[in-house]
Amino acid sequence: MAVPGCIPDIAAMKKRRFNSFLWKWLIKYAALVVVVLAVSLALYGWYLSYKIEKRFSGRRWNVPSKVLSDLTILYPGQGINRTLFQEKLQRLGYRKVSRELEHKGDLRLSPSVIDIFLHDLDIPSHKREGLPARIRLSQDRIASIERFDTGEYVPLLELEPEEIGLFFGAEREQRQLVSIKDVPENLVHAVLAAEDKRFYQHHGMDPWGVLRALYTDIRHAKLLQGGSTITQQLAKSYFLTPKRTISRKLQELLMSFIIEAKYGKNVILEIYLNEIYLGRKGTVSVNGVGEASNFLFGKPVSELSLPECAAIAGMIKAPNHYSPYANEKLCKERRNAVLRMMKENGWISEAEVEAASSSPVTTVGFAAYGRKAPYFVDYFAEQLKALYPEDVLTSYGLTIYTTLDTQVQLAAERALEKGLEHLEEAYPALRRTEPENKLQGAVIVMQPKTGYILALAGGRNYGVSQFNRIAQARRQPGSAFKPFVFLSALDRFTPASILSNEPKTYVIDGKTWVPENYEPMEQQFISMRSALAQSVNLATIDLAMQVGLDRVVDTANAFHFSTTLKPYPSISLGAFEVVPLELARAYCAFAANGVLPYPLSLKEVLDEHGQVLERRHMTIEPVTTPEKAFMMSSLMRSVVTEGTAHSLRNLGISFPVAGKTGTTTDYKDAWFVGYTSDILALVWVGFDNGDSVHLTGSAAALPIWADIMNSIPQYVSDDWFKVPPGVVTKTICSDSGQLAVRGGCPNTVEEFFLAENAPTQYCPIHRGVNPFDRMIREGRRFFGNF
Amino acid sequence: MGISKSIIAISLGALALMASGCTTERSAFTYRRPYQPPPYGQQPYYRSQPPPFYRAYPQEGPPSPEQPLPPSGEPQPEQPQGQIGSRALASLQLTQQGRTLLQQGKIDDAISVLERGVGLDSNNGQNYYYLAECWISKGNRAQAEEFNRLAGLYLTDSAWAAHLSEQKARINQMRK
């Protein structure tokens, strides 16, 4: 039946069949591939979505914890160190202006008047709106403080705490989180104008934006614009490492779509504004508009003006290039470009553009994050770490209030460095070439009544050595320990008691010990007051032996030294090593009515929402009576007026001070601990390896102490301790230490006594003299003067 | 262009939503889980009502720290007596702040402020008196006793002595 011409073309049929089979096969497998691809895309999408969700529901950023100083109190009549005070105002972000004060943070200085528009104060115990204040100065005192808007007299003015450090994580990022509600409309518009005009219209990707960018770039033959939307930028900076590949681009795009689908525009914008990198402050990166606003203009984001908003938005493209700190001219050009783009979008008027474009870029100025008071921060960080793990400190944005006074801290650091340099210049034997072997010193300044640590310098250079010689070192206190011997004797002995100053040999554990005085003395006997004032070793040992060494140990132990003290005669010369911080704390009790305060550095810890997590209050413990504490202050006053620290007068210290010098065997340590009723400072000078400094405490440590006190007149007054009711004054004979016989005793002195052991006997040396002999003796003395 | 983009966006969005099952828009700050600090030390004990002594004598005699303020305007001539007076006055401002906080039941804030007052002028015994009051409120007998004793060193006139012994009696009634 084959019809010619219709013969089936078997080959062709076979080929067709094969083709259709191939097609079916292809379609089948293509479908499979599509399904597989779709499933894997879905799975990948799910994975990314999971990642985004996880990231968004957890903590988004690590915010370092912030450490703040105490607030600063000003009142009329208070002494003021203008240099330190003005430096402080600068650190607090007050800007000098020459016009009338208009905004918080404005400052105008003249020789006798400081006009200041204070920032808001917001600490746990006190909130206050910023106010304009006029501080009148008269010489180096505050003459008056008043509000210059109302003229109202201000008896007490509080300056906000100052940031002294941050606990950074490894990434060293600083940011202050802002809520979208606090971001001014101008800033939102400026950012959108600069980065993503159609943000509220697109769905994560802006094809028009890409085309426009491409067109601009081609027209100008260089890369001027990127087409990335804010969402894409967020995906890029937030989730992925910075590399440029096609697959990365696709990944980014996919993420942008997911983010857009899952979250609203305002949430995305808020995250973006908090995330963006906006330059560097020293070694720390500044992230987010909150921190940038503070870093550039020294104000919260809500107070930013239009040109300031535009300047920040302009920086996003190349933060270090357009930063006003890097190049003010470029910053201004870029800012004005942003302003024009805002105008193009109809967000601001032509008049606004013109006004804003002509205004200068005024920055607040900044100090890179140096470590202020590094030893102090280390010291209390130890306590903090017992409360919070390291990652909490570096990421939860805690606010930590401390007792530090930055003016005192700077005074202490500078005085220490100056004093040590001066010693090295004056005494070549103290010079060392290697930085780590150099002469060292340490200072702690405390408020004796509250136990607040106002300043702490644990060494002369934290960069060279982080060892804290105040809190971690153990050194022999030498004569600086003597007050505890004298305190233990006050029940039986009085300042007028006569002590033996003769050399004696003591046998301890089978070994003989022959102590000596610092300088040979002729006097065989010496009063207790003079023994402490002149820091006489033999008389002190005599006193300790009479009182009983166990008693001395018990007395000292009440002051909570962490050292195990043993009843050896050498305890009276301070042979047991102590932690300098503990010694300073112990002296606080003498200045605080016999009450030992807990040394406070940490005051409050707040979480990022301002809730108080932790609070430390002044805690006190009686270690001796107010009467004995007063007696000790009186005895140590003589150290300064007539004893080993009398050179203080020549160092510019005119107010009453009590104190004690300390010098150890072979001059390894030089100490001075001095105090008033308001402030106490301890200074130590020595070598880490125990080399001799060849100097006494009064030569090495005392000048540093005086320098500190001269720099902080705000803590100094002419007040002296009030005589407690249990202390009486008597006129006594200097020779016998008993009540003076009127007209009989040739050398008399007014002396303080505890009421219970004041002398009741009259001087036995001059009592028996009959009135006639007395008259002759008086007459001889009178004429003998001529 | 816009339509295809929207389709992709919607489909991927839907995919993501299915995957997460969560669509609501929330503020960026509601997600963070607050840090719970480990418990430390004793929990402060707050009185819901201010202690009765406030009602007894805010108007009368020594406990009122309201001091006449110097007139505003021209700076006061500088004299040593004036300096001491102004320091005491500044410290009394803090006493007043502390007292107000104490009356509001903000005991810890009151302590912080009164401590600052002690640091500023340690001869102002009123700060010690109110610190004792704070520690009574917090139920810490040892600290209350100490501050009561210290207040006694500075507040020596008869009116204050009476308040101090009344305070001492209340401290003695506290559990050891």
Side-chain angles (χ1 to χ4, degrees):
Chain A
M1 279 291 290
V3 178
C6 296
I7 299 164
D9 187 343
I10 294 166
M13 273 173 68
K14 273 186 179 169
K15 197 178 172 186
R16 251 195 322 263
R17 209 178 294 160
F18 177 75
N19 275 356
S20 94
F21 173 76
L22 191 70
W23 274 113
K24 273 184 194 160
W25 187 86
L26 270 175
I27 289 165
K28 211 165 92 187
Y29 280 91
L32 194 71
V33 167
V34 167
V35 168
V36 166
L37 273 176
V39 167
S40 35
L41 194 67
L43 278 173
Y44 186 64
W46 178 80
Y47 164 72
L48 283 181
S49 159
Y50 165 76
K51 255 177 72 173
I52 292 164
E53 170 76 10
K54 198 174 151 202
R55 200 55 216 267
F56 275 42
S57 61
R59 288 193 67 80
R60 296 199 180 126
W61 298 284
N62 291 337
V63 182
S65 293
K66 195 174 7 169
V67 185
L68 295 164
S69 76
D70 202 355
L71 49 74
T72 304
I73 287 176
L74 305 173
Y75 60 89
Q78 189 184 32
I80 186 169
N81 178 332
R82 289 184 197 219
T83 314
L84 284 175
F85 184 65
Q86 286 180 17
E87 283 175 17
K88 166 127 201 153
L89 293 181
Q90 206 172 355
R91 288 194 305 273
L92 285 174
Y94 288 95
R95 292 154 300 186
K96 280 184 208 164
V97 293
S98 45
R99 52 172 167 76
E100 285 296 309
L101 307 197
E102 289 165 7
H103 308 288
K104 288 170 194 166
D106 284 355
L107 171 71
R108 200 169 56 178
L109 298 168
S110 77
S112 61
V113 179
I114 299 173
D115 282 343
I116 182 169
F117 205 135
L118 291 174
H119 292 134
D120 294 345
L121 177 69
D122 186 2
I123 60 165
S125 56
H126 195 36
K127 286 185 179 44
R128 188 214 58 211
E129 275 278 307
L131 60 94
R134 173 159 294 163
I135 303 167
R136 288 182 202 273
L137 304 177
S138 147
Q139 289 154 353
D140 285 324
R141 276 191 188 283
I142 295 175
S144 74
I145 308 174
E146 67 205 37
R147 285 186 71 123
F148 65 72
D149 51 351
T150 60
E152 194 187 332
Y153 178 89
V154 179
L156 177 88
L157 195 65
E158 289 149 319
L159 290 185
E160 63 274 15
E162 176 185 335
E163 190 178 293
I164 54 172
L166 294 163
F167 286 102
F168 286 113
E171 70 281 355
R172 291 185 72 73
E173 284 180 3
Q174 169 63 336
R175 55 164 55 82
Q176 287 178 18
L177 299 184
V178 293
S179 160
I180 192 78
K181 284 179 277 179
D182 300 328
V183 178
E185 203 177 33
N186 276 336
L187 184 58
V188 171
H189 286 154
V191 169
L192 296 189
E195 296 297 317
D196 188 358
K197 294 179 184 61
R198 289 171 20 84
F199 174 69
Y200 280 100
Q201 281 91 50
H202 64 65
H203 294 274
M205 188 199 154
D206 187 12
W208 287 120
V210 174
L211 285 178
R212 197 178 47 238
L214 209 63
Y215 171 71
T216 320
D217 292 351
I218 290 166
R219 210 179 57 175
H220 292 92
K222 58 179 175 181
L223 272 170
L224 284 176
Q225 285 188 3
S228 285
T229 64
I230 277 179
T231 323
Q232 281 170 295
Q233 288 185 40
L234 189 61
K236 190 172 13 183
S237 72
Y238 200 46
F239 298 102
L240 307 160
T241 50
K243 55 178 182 184
R244 287 180 161 190
T245 59
I246 294 289
S247 73
R248 245 296 296 276
K249 271 276 165 225
L250 289 174
Q251 227 179 348
E252 241 174 68
L253 208 58
L254 192 60
M255 274 189 153
S256 309
F257 292 142
I258 294 171
I259 293 171
E260 288 274 346
K262 278 175 76 77
Y263 299 97
K265 288 285 184 188
N266 281 345
V267 177
I268 296 170
L269 190 60
E270 183 176 86
I271 296 170
Y272 178 78
L273 291 175
N274 280 308
E275 172 60 31
I276 38 171
Y277 169 67
L278 281 165
R280 300 203 78 79
K281 186 173 178 182
T283 59
V284 176
S285 76
V286 173
N287 291 65
V289 294
E291 180 58 23
S293 166
N294 179 48
F295 165 62
L296 297 170
F297 305 113
K299 51 173 95 167
V301 79
S302 56
E303 291 177 18
L304 287 175
S305 66
L306 171 63
E308 288 165 346
C309 289
I312 290 180
M315 278 172 66
I316 299 172
K317 202 164 106 176
N320 294 316
H321 189 62
Y322 292 118
S323 165
Y325 290 126
N327 189 331
E328 209 179 305
K329 195 166 155 266
L330 268 180
C331 173
K332 198 173 168 182
E333 278 171 22
R334 173 72 186 154
R335 178 196 73 180
N336 294 352
V338 173
L339 287 166
R340 278 192 302 279
M341 287 190 268
M342 289 172 80
K343 161 76 182 46
E344 279 166 27
N345 281 277
W347 286 321
I348 51 173
S349 69
E350 183 61 41
E352 283 176 299
V353 176
E354 273 177 23
S357 297
S358 57
S359 71
V361 184
T362 320
T363 51
V364 66
F366 72 97
Y369 289 110
R371 295 190 57 136
K372 289 176 202 160
Y375 293 103
F376 176 82
V377 173
D378 273 6
Y379 168 67
F380 84 80
E382 281 306 306
Q383 303 172 37
L384 267 182
K385 280 172 192 159
L387 299 170
Y388 308 103
E390 182 98 33
D391 62 311
V392 170
L393 288 177
T394 56
S395 63
Y396 277 80
L398 306 180
T399 306
I400 300 152
Y401 290 94
T402 69
T403 58
L404 191 87
D405 182 325
T406 51
Q407 294 186 72
V408 182
Q409 177 69 28
L410 275 175
E413 284 173 7
R414 288 173 189 172
L416 181 63
E417 184 50 36
K418 211 170 88 189
L420 295 179
E421 270 175 14
H422 175 76
L423 289 174
E424 284 168 335
E425 269 168 37
Y427 305 97
L430 300 181
R431 293 176 203 159
R432 299 287 186 277
T433 42
E434 305 82 16
E436 64 275 13
N437 294 345
K438 274 189 159 187
L439 179 65
Q440 276 293 350
V443 176
I444 180 168
V445 186
M446 292 179 78
Q447 236 175 25
K449 300 236 166 48
T450 56
Y452 282 21
I453 297 175
L454 300 177
L456 191 158
R460 71 191 290 188
N461 186 337
Y462 186 83
V464 173
S465 155
Q466 294 84 49
F467 180 64
N468 190 336
R469 289 159 194 84
I470 288 294
Q472 294 170 316
R474 282 182 188 276
R475 306 286 307 205
Q476 282 192 10
S479 310
F481 194 78
K482 282 179 186 162
F484 304 98
V485 178
F486 282 68
L487 176 68
S488 63
L490 280 178
D491 282 328
R492 276 173 52 204
F493 293 81
T494 72
S497 300
I498 303 298
L499 305 173
S500 160
N501 191 28
E502 289 189 314
K504 282 178 194 159
T505 302
Y506 300 91
V507 180
I508 312 141
D509 295 343
K511 287 181 203 155
T512 53
W513 183 51
V514 191
E516 288 170 5
N517 278 332
Y518 169 62
E519 290 170 329
M521 289 175 80
E522 282 179 12
Q523 285 169 271
Q524 280 189 335
F525 298 98
I526 189 165
S527 76
M528 186 162 142
R529 182 176 285 277
S530 301
L532 188 67
Q534 308 296 338
S535 200
V536 182
N537 289 347
L538 298 181
T540 309
I541 300 166
D542 177 55
L543 181 67
M545 297 308 281
Q546 287 196 61
V547 169
L549 295 172
D550 287 322
R551 202 184 160 92
V552 174
V553 170
D554 288 348
T555 304
N557 278 339
F559 288 82
H560 297 307
F561 288 104
S562 59
T563 312
T564 312
L565 303 171
K566 291 189 178 139
Y568 296 156
S570 60
I571 191 178
S572 44
L573 302 185
F576 290 97
E577 291 175 342
V578 296
V579 178
L581 174 67
E582 294 173 3
L583 188 65
R585 178 200 183 190
Y587 269 70
C588 283
F590 298 132
N593 304 302
V595 167
L596 187 72
Y598 179 82
L600 273 181
S601 53
L602 185 66
K603 278 296 294 167
E604 280 124 3
V605 180
L606 274 64
D607 70 8
E608 58 199 334
H609 309 295
Q611 292 299 308
V612 178
L613 301 179
E614 182 70 29
R615 215 152 193 177
R616 297 282 166 89
H617 293 309
M618 151 189 183
T619 34
I620 51 173
E621 181 190 338
V623 285
T624 185
T625 63
E627 287 77 16
K628 284 184 186 170
F630 175 84
M631 294 300 287
M632 289 311 301
S633 294
S634 166
L635 287 173
M636 282 191 269
R637 175 96 187 91
S638 294
V639 174
V640 176
T641 51
E642 64 218 45
T644 51
H646 71 274
S647 59
L648 212 49
R649 211 173 343 171
N650 308 328
L651 296 167
I653 303 294
S654 54
F655 51 89
V657 173
K660 185 72 195 82
T661 52
T663 313
T664 54
T665 325
D666 303 328
Y667 301 92
K668 283 180 186 161
D669 307 85
W671 301 85
F672 184 68
V673 193
Y675 62 88
T676 69
S677 59
D678 300 311
I679 196 156
L680 177 144
L682 172 148
V683 178
W684 169 85
V685 175
F687 283 102
D688 285 343
N689 64 4
D691 281 358
S692 172
V693 291
H694 310 289
L695 292 167
T696 59
S698 66
L702 193 67
I704 296 172
W705 191 94
D707 192 2
I708 298 169
M709 288 302 148
N710 284 327
S711 306
I712 49 169
Q714 65 269 37
Y715 281 100
V716 164
S717 75
D718 290 330
D719 291 359
W720 184 241
F721 298 94
K722 219 173 87 179
V723 185
V727 170
V728 294
T729 316
K730 301 272 182 208
T731 309
I732 53 150
C733 170
S734 311
D735 300 334
S736 66
Q738 299 293 351
L739 291 175
V741 178
R742 231 177 134 192
C745 298
N747 304 308
T748 62
V749 66
E750 294 271 310
E751 186 55 275
F752 289 114
F753 295 94
L754 295 175
E756 64 266 25
N757 62 8
T760 47
Q761 305 290 313
Y762 280 91
C763 170
I765 304 170
H766 308 106
R767 191 171 48 181
V769 183
N770 66 45
F772 183 67
D773 286 352
R774 210 183 289 159
M775 255 168 63
I776 293 174
R777 194 183 294 173
E778 289 284 307
R780 272 203 201 127
R781 243 163 45 106
F782 181 75
F783 289 108
N785 288 339
F786 291 96
Chain B
M1 199 66 172
I3 297 166
S4 67
K5 185 207 67 183
S6 302
I7 292 169
I8 298 173
I10 290 162
S11 56
L12 282 167
L15 204 68
L17 298 183
M18 281 189 304
S20 66
C22 159
T23 64
T24 44
E25 178 181 329
R26 294 180 234 175
S27 158
F29 295 105
T30 52
Y31 289 92
R32 270 183 273 125
R33 121 190 78 84
Y35 174 68
Q36 291 296 321
Y40 174 80
Q42 67 176 94
Q43 288 303 307
Y45 163 68
Y46 295 99
R47 270 174 192 264
S48 50
Q49 289 287 313
F53 76 98
Y54 294 112
R55 274 167 260 132
Y57 56 73
Q59 301 87 0
E60 61 174 66
S64 167
E66 279 117 35
Q67 298 280 319
L69 297 180
S72 60
E74 285 305 298
Q76 308 292 308
E78 202 191 328
Q79 41 181 281
Q81 197 57 43
Q83 286 165 26
I84 296 161
S86 56
R87 182 156 84 130
L89 196 66
S91 179
L92 280 169
Q93 290 282 319
L94 293 173
T95 314
Q96 179 59 57
Q97 269 184 33
R99 248 187 69 176
T100 310
L101 289 165
L102 180 59
Q103 275 167 329
Q104 291 167 353
K106 296 177 182 166
I107 311 296
D108 286 293
D109 289 341
I111 294 177
S112 293
V113 170
L114 293 167
E115 271 176 21
R116 210 163 267 139
V118 169
L120 181 58
D121 179 15
S122 52
N123 293 320
N124 174 357
Q126 295 190 29
N127 287 323
Y128 291 117
Y129 175 83
Y130 290 112
L131 276 169
E133 226 30 82
C134 290
W135 288 110
I136 293 173
S137 294
K138 280 175 82 83
N140 187 328
R141 181 180 166 140
Q143 290 293 302
E145 263 175 349
E146 265 315 295
F147 284 112
N148 172 274
R149 191 176 64 83
L150 284 174
L153 296 177
Y154 297 99
L155 301 172
T156 44
D157 60 86
S158 59
W160 268 110
H163 294 306
L164 283 167
S165 57
E166 181 271 336
Q167 187 181 55
K168 177 89 184 131
R170 275 185 290 129
I171 293 168
N172 288 338
Q173 282 166 12
M174 290 169 76
R175 266 181 300 132
K176 273 211 173 163

